Amino acid sequence: MTDGVTAAHGTGGHGEPADAPVSAWVLGADSGGSGLRITLAAVPEGGAPQTVGTVTSTEPVRTGAQGIDAEHMLAQLVPAARELLERAGERAQAAGLRSVCVGAAGMATLGGQLRAELPAALTREFSVRRIALAADAVTAYAGALGQLPGAVVAGGTGLIAMGTDLRNWRRADGWGHLLGDCGSGAWIGQAGLQAAMRAYDGREGGSAALRERAEAVFGAPLSGLPAQLYPRTDRPAVLASFAPEVAACADRDTAASEILRAAAQEIATAAAAVCPAEEGVSVAVTGGLFRIGEPLLAPLREQLHRRAPHAHLTEPAGDPLDGALLIAARLSSDALRLPQDPALLSLT
Amino acid sequence: MTDGVTAAHGTGGHGEPADAPVSAWVLGADSGGSGLRITLAAVPEGGAPQTVGTVTSTEPVRTGAQGIDAEHMLAQLVPAARELLERAGERAQAAGLRSVCVGAAGMATLGGQLRAELPAALTREFSVRRIALAADAVTAYAGALGQLPGAVVAGGTGLIAMGTDLRNWRRADGWGHLLGDCGSGAWIGQAGLQAAMRAYDGREGGSAALRERAEAVFGAPLSGLPAQLYPRTDRPAVLASFAPEVAACADRDTAASEILRAAAQEIATAAAAVCPAEEGVSVAVTGGLFRIGEPLLAPLREQLHRRAPHAHLTEPAGDPLDGALLIAARLSSDALRLPQDPALLSLT
């Protein structure tokens, strides 16, 4: 289960010395399709959480008919937390955990069992006082922008935008590859493969470059592609796997660059829908989608400027695990300003 | 298995009297997702086939790892043909079947077992001399345009265009709901549901009217729609079920009418890609999609005129079962002019 333990290292950008007085020990967790990461951090008085160790499991927490399986998560979370406290030394073990934040994909709709069982179990095991259960889009937000008002777009195979004025959360998209996820990796890859099929047919709107890339990846002739794609259960991931090919063609193929421009427009539209109106708020984009880089980011800056001219695009400070730690740290000192929400960010 | 036998009735538009001398008895079959229809027809010398009886089964022929299951098809086809010959009387039984045409969805890619086993089995059972195995898009073509050069678009949950200059077949789209089927029922329904989700989010491009219809059909709030759609195995059909709602909103909602206009453009694009260049060729559209009527047909006429001005849109003469009968009838008198193709129209 436990696949790796990283050495202690600082995460914060605030540069507290490692020997500043620790006011609390906190735990952050990030659960998603690729597994579970759990980090222990020391929080200096009024400062940023300092990571002291991380445990990574590549076994994703199961989802069953009752939603995300609380028992399966606890079976990974509890031993990992014990191991991290032990490695952190006597001071940490004596103090115990002041707070925990667990961020999980699917928390909003499939987190009922977690909300019902996790807090009591963690209190029983670690005498922990304050527990936050967060949607992964909320930990992505906190990781990227901390407690500032603004909007964060998290993009990978899917895509969701989350915004807050620190009173309420607003969400846009994240509805999956058939109902939305507009501008996501699956969306870009699908548009690229459709342009390849158009070229194969001789239909208007096709791209010879994308057809060539699709044949290189999936084999020629492309009439064999449906039989490869439809029987799979991870169809969105297969579609998303073609997104980097679209990006690689963008500098020499009009269809490819238009797909990225359209994706940028969708991403900016989702960000604008959730972004607070106040002047100077921050917008950040985070997640594997944006590794595409300039072919996507250049039109995105342009579209964001058009749709939310009052906002400015900033680099995300950290990832969802950093966000979970930040929520846990702020919770430990009663300084959490991100709004509570029964589905998105519930506190015990 | 046998769900209905219709009374004898004529199909042809040529008005041969029912007592014209019969030159041959032929069988046509149409196999698809909603079941199997089998028709016996009498072919007068040089005339159009006259239906004498039809057997309908609502049990779709199974598709397995080896493709369309030949044994399962024969288990329905053989008893139905016997029953139809018996009902047609002594003359038909004495003459036997001169030719058979079986049209099936998936024939091109999944018809290997049918091509290997069906001809020998039918010859053994009925001493039939000539057998044609056709893709459903080919029987749709023959049903709509007979043996004229042109293009036929068959639209339902999916969409495929087939064209011929009587030398070769050309195909466009029909790649399924993720890779194409652009302009199909699933495509229109999906675009409508995406516009509903946009309205729910407050994203640009949403439609309040489509949101209201989606809530009426799937329940409010629409945040529950993903959990209803994604676990289903018939997702394209669920998407297509919303297409009539989009059509019903088209006269009062800009987003809905734009979706139908975009669908019309896709349909015209597919037709133009397969339509022969010669002046005055016919284009026909057929299938359940076009029951949407004028909200789709009006922009389609306009788009077809723009993309294939040399072609003229004609009413389809009949459906795919009529097409299978026509192929069988022409085959019986060595007058088949539609081009042979190993995947699309194979003859024995």
Side-chain angles (χ1 to χ4, degrees):
Chain A
M1 182 201 90
T2 298
D3 298 302
V5 178
T6 62
H9 66 92
T11 56
H14 294 76
E16 289 86 353
D19 55 358
V22 171
S23 80
W25 300 86
V26 303
L27 196 76
D30 176 43
S31 172
S34 55
L36 180 62
R37 290 184 304 155
I38 301 147
T39 289
L40 178 70
V43 187
E45 198 74 55
Q50 303 287 313
T51 294
V52 295
T54 296
V55 171
T56 302
S57 159
T58 55
E59 188 185 345
V61 175
R62 282 191 294 263
T63 298
Q66 309 300 311
I68 302 169
D69 186 330
E71 203 176 321
H72 192 221
M73 180 175 280
L74 283 165
Q76 299 189 59
L77 195 57
V78 170
R82 282 224 190 85
E83 182 182 336
L84 288 166
L85 280 168
E86 203 164 297
R87 286 166 164 267
E90 278 177 24
R91 254 181 9 162
Q93 283 177 277
L97 293 173
R98 173 95 49 98
S99 59
V100 172
C101 174
V102 176
M107 180 70 82
T109 51
L110 301 168
Q113 200 181 85
L114 293 188
R115 284 185 283 268
E117 299 181 17
L118 224 59
L122 290 175
T123 301
R124 197 164 54 237
E125 294 286 342
F126 300 103
S127 311
V128 60
R129 304 205 202 139
R130 311 219 47 190
I131 295 160
L133 299 180
D136 58 343
V138 165
T139 52
Y141 187 99
L145 293 185
Q147 303 208 87
L148 294 173
V152 170
V153 180
T157 296
L159 187 131
I160 188 168
M162 197 64 98
T164 184
D165 54 7
L166 303 187
R167 287 182 294 276
N168 295 292
W169 290 104
R170 289 191 66 182
R171 166 201 167 140
D173 212 347
W175 304 120
H177 71 298
L178 295 177
L179 297 169
D181 283 2
C182 301
S184 69
W187 191 95
I188 292 170
Q190 178 174 14
L193 289 173
Q194 290 200 353
M197 298 311 296
R198 284 177 197 273
Y200 177 83
D201 287 346
R203 266 181 296 155
E204 211 180 294
S207 155
L210 290 171
R211 177 185 178 185
E212 191 191 306
R213 291 314 307 149
E215 287 172 346
V217 174
F218 296 100
L222 287 184
S223 51
L225 181 52
Q228 285 184 62
L229 174 64
Y230 291 111
R232 303 221 5 191
T233 53
D234 61 343
R235 289 176 294 273
V238 177
L239 296 174
S241 74
F242 197 66
E245 302 288 346
V246 177
C249 291
D251 61 348
R252 59 195 166 87
D253 184 72
T254 312
S257 64
E258 275 175 9
I259 290 169
L260 293 182
R261 179 167 295 277
Q265 186 174 323
E266 295 289 359
I267 296 166
T269 297
V274 300
C275 191
E278 55 194 284
E279 191 59 43
V281 291
S282 298
V283 174
V285 297
T286 178
L289 172 64
F290 300 100
R291 283 201 292 268
I292 283 178
E294 279 306 301
L296 180 61
L297 293 175
L300 178 57
R301 278 189 293 268
E302 184 193 316
Q303 293 288 338
L304 263 177
H305 183 70
R306 188 178 303 178
R307 289 182 158 71
H310 65 293
H312 66 272
L313 190 62
T314 59
E315 281 296 308
D319 69 7
L321 182 56
D322 297 322
L325 278 182
L326 182 119
I327 291 171
R330 293 299 165 262
L331 202 55
S332 75
S333 58
D334 275 326
L336 186 66
R337 296 171 59 208
L338 295 173
Q340 295 187 42
D341 179 283
L344 298 170
L345 180 56
S346 64
L347 305 183
T348 309
Chain B
M1 184 200 88
T2 298
D3 298 301
V5 178
T6 61
H9 66 91
T11 57
H14 294 75
E16 290 85 352
D19 55 357
V22 172
S23 80
W25 300 86
V26 302
L27 196 76
D30 176 43
S31 172
S34 56
L36 180 63
R37 290 184 305 156
I38 301 147
T39 288
L40 179 69
V43 187
E45 199 74 53
Q50 302 287 314
T51 295
V52 295
T54 296
V55 171
T56 302
S57 160
T58 55
E59 187 185 347
V61 174
R62 282 191 293 264
T63 297
Q66 308 300 312
I68 302 170
D69 185 331
E71 204 177 318
H72 192 221
M73 181 176 282
L74 283 165
Q76 300 189 58
L77 195 58
V78 171
R82 283 224 189 85
E83 183 184 335
L84 288 165
L85 280 168
E86 204 165 294
R87 286 168 163 266
E90 279 176 23
R91 250 177 18 158
Q93 284 176 279
L97 294 173
R98 172 94 50 97
S99 59
V100 173
C101 174
V102 176
M107 180 70 82
T109 51
L110 301 168
Q113 200 181 85
L114 292 188
R115 284 185 283 268
E117 298 181 17
L118 223 60
L122 290 175
T123 302
R124 197 165 54 238
E125 293 287 343
F126 300 103
S127 311
V128 59
R129 303 203 203 144
R130 311 218 49 189
I131 295 160
L133 300 180
D136 59 344
V138 165
T139 53
Y141 187 99
L145 293 185
Q147 303 208 87
L148 294 174
V152 171
V153 180
T157 297
L159 187 131
I160 188 168
M162 197 63 97
T164 184
D165 53 7
L166 303 186
R167 286 181 294 275
N168 295 292
W169 290 104
R170 289 192 66 184
R171 164 200 168 141
D173 212 345
W175 304 119
H177 71 297
L178 295 177
L179 296 170
D181 284 2
C182 301
S184 68
W187 191 95
I188 292 170
Q190 177 174 15
L193 289 173
Q194 291 200 352
M197 298 313 295
R198 283 177 197 273
Y200 176 83
D201 287 346
R203 265 181 297 156
E204 210 181 294
S207 156
L210 290 171
R211 178 187 177 182
E212 190 190 306
R213 292 312 308 148
E215 287 172 346
V217 174
F218 296 100
L222 286 184
S223 51
L225 181 52
Q228 286 183 63
L229 174 65
Y230 292 110
R232 304 222 2 194
T233 53
D234 61 342
R235 290 176 294 273
V238 177
L239 296 174
S241 74
F242 197 65
E245 303 287 346
V246 177
C249 291
D251 62 347
R252 58 195 166 88
D253 184 72
T254 312
S257 64
E258 275 175 9
I259 290 168
L260 294 181
R261 180 168 293 277
Q265 186 173 324
E266 295 289 359
I267 296 166
T269 297
V274 301
C275 191
E278 55 194 285
E279 193 57 45
V281 292
S282 297
V283 173
V285 297
T286 178
L289 172 63
F290 300 99
R291 283 201 292 268
I292 283 178
E294 280 305 301
L296 180 61
L297 293 175
L300 178 57
R301 278 190 292 267
E302 185 193 318
Q303 293 288 339
L304 262 177
H305 183 71
R306 189 179 302 179
R307 288 180 159 71
H310 65 291
H312 66 271
L313 190 62
T314 60
E315 280 296 308
D319 69 7
L321 182 56
D322 297 321
L325 279 181
L326 181 119
I327 291 170
R330 292 299 165 262
L331 202 54
S332 76
S333 58
D334 276 325
L336 186 66
R337 295 172 60 210
L338 294 174
Q340 296 186 42
D341 179 283
L344 298 169
L345 180 57
S346 64
L347 306 183
T348 309

